[in-house]
Amino acid sequence: IDPWGTTFTIVSSDIHKDERGLQKNVGEAHSLGNVMEDLTFHTPMGANMAGIARFYEQILDTPILSCDENKVVISMGPYQTLTFESTDTDDVVVGYDYGDGTNTNDVNMHVDLRDEPEKNPKDHHPYYQSNYGPHISIYIRDIRATYNRAADLAVTYANPRFSRKAYNEEEVVKDCMFRCLDIVDPENVEAGAILRLEHEVRSVLKGDGSLYKSCPFEEAPEG
């Protein structure tokens, strides 16, 4: 368990070795692939799991492996899953510790939003709060189409903490990334965020079709 309450289960296995991620980044040696088999985020009790599944399936184009009223498991590739699981009232309170003795167990349980006007651009771009909570990074193939689907739901986000902010489609294509914060049900957007969790959505490919510099693959995956 780390200082923020994240529980890690460490195992040694060759079952999940992914040859696609072997990179010649140190001379002629291949990097050692440390695998995170699953990443689980807790949600408040009664969270709309079907809505979370629809968000990932319809907006981020990720396959759903299973979904019920308490848990949704999402495929992040052939050897990795992302899981959202409802908390239980009998559990120790799960949420983001802001460092001041408070802890949330609601839609904001994984964000730490702060007003920092000095970090927002002084122009026509919208104002966003800085997020100091955790974020996850995912790679996708079609950054333009994915961004447009997220923008249509008004869930795109720019974190003022970082230099690359990508406020529009062309900046997204140029920077090969965008962020979103709110997970919403595409079939009931008016209900608002089911859960807030910062996503850094990265493109596998640059605009010219070559691999993006931090892409973890030697070749672009198909599909």
Side-chain angles (χ1 to χ4, degrees), residues 129-159:
Q129 291 179 300
S130 299
N131 180 36
Y132 284 83
H135 78 269
I136 60 174
S137 296
I138 64 174
Y139 278 90
I140 57 166
R141 188 175 181 89
D142 191 340
I143 191 77
R144 189 186 297 270
T146 306
Y147 170 79
N148 285 329
R149 290 193 295 268
D152 286 345
L153 296 185
V155 297
T156 57
Y157 167 69
N159 193 334

mmCIF file of all heavy atoms in Angstrom, residues 129-159:
data_model
loop_
_atom_site.group_PDB
_atom_site.id
_atom_site.type_symbol
_atom_site.label_atom_id
_atom_site.label_comp_id
_atom_site.label_asym_id
_atom_site.label_seq_id
_atom_site.Cartn_x
_atom_site.Cartn_y
_atom_site.Cartn_z
ATOM 1 N N GLN A 129 -9.832 24.540 -13.720
ATOM 2 C CA GLN A 129 -9.127 24.324 -12.476
ATOM 3 C C GLN A 129 -7.990 23.322 -12.698
ATOM 4 O O GLN A 129 -8.096 22.421 -13.524
ATOM 5 C CB GLN A 129 -10.074 23.786 -11.398
ATOM 6 C CG GLN A 129 -11.106 24.776 -10.904
ATOM 7 C CD GLN A 129 -12.009 24.141 -9.852
ATOM 8 O OE1 GLN A 129 -12.679 23.149 -10.131
ATOM 9 N NE2 GLN A 129 -12.024 24.720 -8.661
ATOM 10 N N SER A 130 -6.918 23.487 -11.932
ATOM 11 C CA SER A 130 -5.826 22.516 -11.981
ATOM 12 C C SER A 130 -6.214 21.278 -11.189
ATOM 13 O O SER A 130 -6.822 21.375 -10.122
ATOM 14 C CB SER A 130 -4.550 23.117 -11.372
ATOM 15 O OG SER A 130 -4.129 24.251 -12.092
ATOM 16 N N ASN A 131 -5.865 20.118 -11.725
ATOM 17 C CA ASN A 131 -6.132 18.871 -11.017
ATOM 18 C C ASN A 131 -4.819 18.287 -10.504
ATOM 19 O O ASN A 131 -3.893 18.043 -11.268
ATOM 20 C CB ASN A 131 -6.821 17.847 -11.935
ATOM 21 C CG ASN A 131 -7.103 16.546 -11.208
ATOM 22 O OD1 ASN A 131 -7.426 16.530 -10.017
ATOM 23 N ND2 ASN A 131 -7.001 15.435 -11.918
ATOM 24 N N TYR A 132 -4.762 18.053 -9.187
ATOM 25 C CA TYR A 132 -3.596 17.450 -8.558
ATOM 26 C C TYR A 132 -3.882 16.016 -8.120
ATOM 27 O O TYR A 132 -3.080 15.406 -7.420
ATOM 28 C CB TYR A 132 -3.146 18.294 -7.363
ATOM 29 C CG TYR A 132 -2.416 19.555 -7.778
ATOM 30 C CD1 TYR A 132 -3.125 20.698 -8.140
ATOM 31 C CD2 TYR A 132 -1.035 19.590 -7.834
ATOM 32 C CE1 TYR A 132 -2.469 21.854 -8.534
ATOM 33 C CE2 TYR A 132 -0.358 20.733 -8.231
ATOM 34 C CZ TYR A 132 -1.083 21.871 -8.581
ATOM 35 O OH TYR A 132 -0.426 23.012 -8.985
ATOM 36 N N GLY A 133 -5.022 15.486 -8.528
ATOM 37 C CA GLY A 133 -5.338 14.091 -8.255
ATOM 38 C C GLY A 133 -4.654 13.180 -9.255
ATOM 39 O O GLY A 133 -3.909 13.627 -10.139
ATOM 40 N N PRO A 134 -4.879 11.881 -9.155
ATOM 41 C CA PRO A 134 -4.245 10.937 -10.081
ATOM 42 C C PRO A 134 -4.800 11.074 -11.489
ATOM 43 O O PRO A 134 -5.908 11.602 -11.690
ATOM 44 C CB PRO A 134 -4.604 9.571 -9.484
ATOM 45 C CG PRO A 134 -5.891 9.817 -8.760
ATOM 46 C CD PRO A 134 -5.788 11.201 -8.199
ATOM 47 N N HIS A 135 -4.034 10.635 -12.476
ATOM 48 C CA HIS A 135 -4.571 10.547 -13.828
ATOM 49 C C HIS A 135 -4.034 9.275 -14.477
ATOM 50 O O HIS A 135 -3.011 8.732 -14.069
ATOM 51 C CB HIS A 135 -4.243 11.790 -14.666
ATOM 52 C CG HIS A 135 -2.850 11.838 -15.204
ATOM 53 N ND1 HIS A 135 -1.798 12.423 -14.528
ATOM 54 C CD2 HIS A 135 -2.319 11.384 -16.371
ATOM 55 C CE1 HIS A 135 -0.698 12.338 -15.245
ATOM 56 N NE2 HIS A 135 -0.977 11.700 -16.379
ATOM 57 N N ILE A 136 -4.764 8.799 -15.467
ATOM 58 C CA ILE A 136 -4.331 7.623 -16.219
ATOM 59 C C ILE A 136 -4.068 8.035 -17.660
ATOM 60 O O ILE A 136 -4.667 8.981 -18.173
ATOM 61 C CB ILE A 136 -5.379 6.478 -16.173
ATOM 62 C CG1 ILE A 136 -6.725 6.927 -16.777
ATOM 63 C CG2 ILE A 136 -5.577 5.989 -14.744
ATOM 64 C CD1 ILE A 136 -7.743 5.802 -16.901
ATOM 65 N N SER A 137 -3.132 7.346 -18.304
ATOM 66 C CA SER A 137 -2.815 7.584 -19.709
ATOM 67 C C SER A 137 -3.204 6.356 -20.519
ATOM 68 O O SER A 137 -2.895 5.231 -20.131
ATOM 69 C CB SER A 137 -1.318 7.866 -19.887
ATOM 70 O OG SER A 137 -0.940 9.049 -19.232
ATOM 71 N N ILE A 138 -3.888 6.591 -21.622
ATOM 72 C CA ILE A 138 -4.250 5.500 -22.519
ATOM 73 C C ILE A 138 -3.864 5.879 -23.945
ATOM 74 O O ILE A 138 -3.841 7.064 -24.296
ATOM 75 C CB ILE A 138 -5.758 5.149 -22.445
ATOM 76 C CG1 ILE A 138 -6.620 6.334 -22.922
ATOM 77 C CG2 ILE A 138 -6.157 4.750 -21.031
ATOM 78 C CD1 ILE A 138 -8.091 5.986 -23.010
ATOM 79 N N TYR A 139 -3.526 4.882 -24.747
ATOM 80 C CA TYR A 139 -3.170 5.104 -26.142
ATOM 81 C C TYR A 139 -4.308 4.654 -27.046
ATOM 82 O O TYR A 139 -4.889 3.591 -26.842
ATOM 83 C CB TYR A 139 -1.892 4.343 -26.506
ATOM 84 C CG TYR A 139 -0.632 5.069 -26.111
ATOM 85 C CD1 TYR A 139 -0.070 4.870 -24.858
ATOM 86 C CD2 TYR A 139 -0.030 5.971 -26.983
ATOM 87 C CE1 TYR A 139 1.081 5.549 -24.488
ATOM 88 C CE2 TYR A 139 1.118 6.652 -26.623
ATOM 89 C CZ TYR A 139 1.667 6.443 -25.375
ATOM 90 O OH TYR A 139 2.800 7.123 -25.006
ATOM 91 N N ILE A 140 -4.597 5.480 -28.039
ATOM 92 C CA ILE A 140 -5.618 5.152 -29.028
ATOM 93 C C ILE A 140 -5.043 5.400 -30.422
ATOM 94 O O ILE A 140 -4.013 6.056 -30.573
ATOM 95 C CB ILE A 140 -6.892 6.000 -28.831
ATOM 96 C CG1 ILE A 140 -6.537 7.481 -28.897
ATOM 97 C CG2 ILE A 140 -7.581 5.666 -27.518
ATOM 98 C CD1 ILE A 140 -7.727 8.363 -29.048
ATOM 99 N N ARG A 141 -5.727 4.867 -31.430
ATOM 100 C CA ARG A 141 -5.215 4.983 -32.792
ATOM 101 C C ARG A 141 -5.741 6.222 -33.508
ATOM 102 O O ARG A 141 -4.994 6.923 -34.182
ATOM 103 C CB ARG A 141 -5.572 3.721 -33.593
ATOM 104 C CG ARG A 141 -4.909 3.664 -34.965
ATOM 105 C CD ARG A 141 -5.202 2.349 -35.650
ATOM 106 N NE ARG A 141 -4.547 2.291 -36.956
ATOM 107 C CZ ARG A 141 -3.324 1.842 -37.160
ATOM 108 N NH1 ARG A 141 -2.610 1.419 -36.129
ATOM 109 N NH2 ARG A 141 -2.791 1.819 -38.364
ATOM 110 N N ASP A 142 -7.030 6.537 -33.374
ATOM 111 C CA ASP A 142 -7.646 7.646 -34.111
ATOM 112 C C ASP A 142 -7.926 8.793 -33.140
ATOM 113 O O ASP A 142 -9.016 8.892 -32.582
ATOM 114 C CB ASP A 142 -8.928 7.172 -34.791
ATOM 115 C CG ASP A 142 -9.478 8.187 -35.789
ATOM 116 O OD1 ASP A 142 -9.103 9.379 -35.693
ATOM 117 O OD2 ASP A 142 -10.294 7.794 -36.643
ATOM 118 N N ILE A 143 -6.937 9.652 -32.925
ATOM 119 C CA ILE A 143 -7.058 10.721 -31.940
ATOM 120 C C ILE A 143 -8.108 11.751 -32.344
ATOM 121 O O ILE A 143 -8.851 12.271 -31.498
ATOM 122 C CB ILE A 143 -5.689 11.407 -31.705
ATOM 123 C CG1 ILE A 143 -5.744 12.335 -30.487
ATOM 124 C CG2 ILE A 143 -5.225 12.154 -32.934
ATOM 125 C CD1 ILE A 143 -5.690 11.634 -29.178
ATOM 126 N N ARG A 144 -8.225 12.028 -33.634
ATOM 127 C CA ARG A 144 -9.169 13.049 -34.089
ATOM 128 C C ARG A 144 -10.614 12.616 -33.836
ATOM 129 O O ARG A 144 -11.411 13.373 -33.269
ATOM 130 C CB ARG A 144 -8.946 13.340 -35.576
ATOM 131 C CG ARG A 144 -9.732 14.549 -36.080
ATOM 132 C CD ARG A 144 -9.581 14.702 -37.594
ATOM 133 N NE ARG A 144 -8.215 14.947 -38.007
ATOM 134 C CZ ARG A 144 -7.675 16.162 -38.133
ATOM 135 N NH1 ARG A 144 -8.399 17.237 -37.862
ATOM 136 N NH2 ARG A 144 -6.428 16.297 -38.545
ATOM 137 N N ALA A 145 -10.952 11.402 -34.231
ATOM 138 C CA ALA A 145 -12.327 10.928 -34.049
ATOM 139 C C ALA A 145 -12.670 10.793 -32.567
ATOM 140 O O ALA A 145 -13.782 11.133 -32.139
ATOM 141 C CB ALA A 145 -12.515 9.596 -34.759
ATOM 142 N N THR A 146 -11.703 10.309 -31.779
ATOM 143 C CA THR A 146 -11.952 10.140 -30.345
ATOM 144 C C THR A 146 -12.153 11.484 -29.676
ATOM 145 O O THR A 146 -13.064 11.660 -28.847
ATOM 146 C CB THR A 146 -10.794 9.386 -29.682
ATOM 147 O OG1 THR A 146 -10.566 8.160 -30.375
ATOM 148 C CG2 THR A 146 -11.099 9.076 -28.225
ATOM 149 N N TYR A 147 -11.325 12.461 -30.024
ATOM 150 C CA TYR A 147 -11.482 13.806 -29.461
ATOM 151 C C TYR A 147 -12.850 14.382 -29.816
ATOM 152 O O TYR A 147 -13.528 14.963 -28.953
ATOM 153 C CB TYR A 147 -10.377 14.731 -29.968
ATOM 154 C CG TYR A 147 -10.630 16.177 -29.615
ATOM 155 C CD1 TYR A 147 -10.355 16.660 -28.335
ATOM 156 C CD2 TYR A 147 -11.166 17.058 -30.553
ATOM 157 C CE1 TYR A 147 -10.613 17.972 -27.997
ATOM 158 C CE2 TYR A 147 -11.416 18.383 -30.226
ATOM 159 C CZ TYR A 147 -11.137 18.838 -28.944
ATOM 160 O OH TYR A 147 -11.407 20.150 -28.618
ATOM 161 N N ASN A 148 -13.252 14.237 -31.054
ATOM 162 C CA ASN A 148 -14.536 14.804 -31.469
ATOM 163 C C ASN A 148 -15.709 14.164 -30.719
ATOM 164 O O ASN A 148 -16.673 14.847 -30.371
ATOM 165 C CB ASN A 148 -14.719 14.657 -32.978
ATOM 166 C CG ASN A 148 -13.874 15.648 -33.751
ATOM 167 O OD1 ASN A 148 -13.617 16.755 -33.277
ATOM 168 N ND2 ASN A 148 -13.428 15.268 -34.942
ATOM 169 N N ARG A 149 -15.621 12.866 -30.466
ATOM 170 C CA ARG A 149 -16.687 12.224 -29.693
ATOM 171 C C ARG A 149 -16.723 12.777 -28.263
ATOM 172 O O ARG A 149 -17.802 13.035 -27.700
ATOM 173 C CB ARG A 149 -16.496 10.707 -29.673
ATOM 174 C CG ARG A 149 -16.743 10.032 -31.010
ATOM 175 C CD ARG A 149 -16.850 8.518 -30.863
ATOM 176 N NE ARG A 149 -15.605 7.898 -30.418
ATOM 177 C CZ ARG A 149 -14.675 7.422 -31.244
ATOM 178 N NH1 ARG A 149 -14.837 7.505 -32.556
ATOM 179 N NH2 ARG A 149 -13.578 6.845 -30.748
ATOM 180 N N ALA A 150 -15.547 12.965 -27.668
ATOM 181 C CA ALA A 150 -15.496 13.520 -26.317
ATOM 182 C C ALA A 150 -15.952 14.979 -26.305
ATOM 183 O O ALA A 150 -16.670 15.407 -25.389
ATOM 184 C CB ALA A 150 -14.073 13.396 -25.764
ATOM 185 N N ALA A 151 -15.553 15.736 -27.308
ATOM 186 C CA ALA A 151 -15.944 17.147 -27.380
ATOM 187 C C ALA A 151 -17.451 17.287 -27.546
ATOM 188 O O ALA A 151 -18.063 18.216 -27.003
ATOM 189 C CB ALA A 151 -15.207 17.831 -28.532
ATOM 190 N N ASP A 152 -18.058 16.383 -28.298
ATOM 191 C CA ASP A 152 -19.512 16.421 -28.476
ATOM 192 C C ASP A 152 -20.246 16.255 -27.148
ATOM 193 O O ASP A 152 -21.373 16.720 -26.987
ATOM 194 C CB ASP A 152 -19.958 15.337 -29.458
ATOM 195 C CG ASP A 152 -19.602 15.671 -30.895
ATOM 196 O OD1 ASP A 152 -19.284 16.839 -31.171
ATOM 197 O OD2 ASP A 152 -19.621 14.753 -31.737
ATOM 198 N N LEU A 153 -19.616 15.566 -26.200
ATOM 199 C CA LEU A 153 -20.209 15.386 -24.868
ATOM 200 C C LEU A 153 -19.766 16.475 -23.897
ATOM 201 O O LEU A 153 -20.172 16.459 -22.724
ATOM 202 C CB LEU A 153 -19.828 14.014 -24.291
ATOM 203 C CG LEU A 153 -20.331 12.776 -25.011
ATOM 204 C CD1 LEU A 153 -19.962 11.520 -24.218
ATOM 205 C CD2 LEU A 153 -21.835 12.834 -25.217
ATOM 206 N N ALA A 154 -18.899 17.395 -24.371
ATOM 207 C CA ALA A 154 -18.388 18.496 -23.547
ATOM 208 C C ALA A 154 -17.613 17.985 -22.334
ATOM 209 O O ALA A 154 -17.732 18.527 -21.237
ATOM 210 C CB ALA A 154 -19.516 19.425 -23.109
ATOM 211 N N VAL A 155 -16.807 16.942 -22.522
ATOM 212 C CA VAL A 155 -16.022 16.391 -21.409
ATOM 213 C C VAL A 155 -14.521 16.588 -21.603
ATOM 214 O O VAL A 155 -13.726 16.069 -20.806
ATOM 215 C CB VAL A 155 -16.328 14.891 -21.177
ATOM 216 C CG1 VAL A 155 -17.773 14.701 -20.771
ATOM 217 C CG2 VAL A 155 -15.992 14.054 -22.409
ATOM 218 N N THR A 156 -14.099 17.316 -22.641
ATOM 219 C CA THR A 156 -12.678 17.569 -22.813
ATOM 220 C C THR A 156 -12.202 18.539 -21.735
ATOM 221 O O THR A 156 -12.974 19.345 -21.214
ATOM 222 C CB THR A 156 -12.373 18.129 -24.208
ATOM 223 O OG1 THR A 156 -13.130 19.321 -24.410
ATOM 224 C CG2 THR A 156 -12.726 17.105 -25.278
ATOM 225 N N TYR A 157 -10.919 18.452 -21.429
ATOM 226 C CA TYR A 157 -10.367 19.192 -20.292
ATOM 227 C C TYR A 157 -8.917 19.538 -20.580
ATOM 228 O O TYR A 157 -8.205 18.776 -21.240
ATOM 229 C CB TYR A 157 -10.469 18.313 -19.036
ATOM 230 C CG TYR A 157 -9.696 18.769 -17.823
ATOM 231 C CD1 TYR A 157 -10.058 19.911 -17.119
ATOM 232 C CD2 TYR A 157 -8.598 18.035 -17.375
ATOM 233 C CE1 TYR A 157 -9.346 20.313 -15.996
ATOM 234 C CE2 TYR A 157 -7.881 18.429 -16.246
ATOM 235 C CZ TYR A 157 -8.260 19.570 -15.562
ATOM 236 O OH TYR A 157 -7.563 19.960 -14.446
ATOM 237 N N ALA A 158 -8.485 20.698 -20.116
ATOM 238 C CA ALA A 158 -7.072 21.078 -20.185
ATOM 239 C C ALA A 158 -6.599 21.351 -18.770
ATOM 240 O O ALA A 158 -7.190 22.165 -18.066
ATOM 241 C CB ALA A 158 -6.897 22.317 -21.064
ATOM 242 N N ASN A 159 -5.551 20.644 -18.349
ATOM 243 C CA ASN A 159 -5.034 20.819 -16.996
ATOM 244 C C ASN A 159 -3.961 21.913 -17.018
ATOM 245 O O ASN A 159 -2.901 21.733 -17.631
ATOM 246 C CB ASN A 159 -4.437 19.511 -16.476
ATOM 247 C CG ASN A 159 -4.165 19.541 -14.978
ATOM 248 O OD1 ASN A 159 -3.957 20.602 -14.401
ATOM 249 N ND2 ASN A 159 -4.163 18.378 -14.354
#
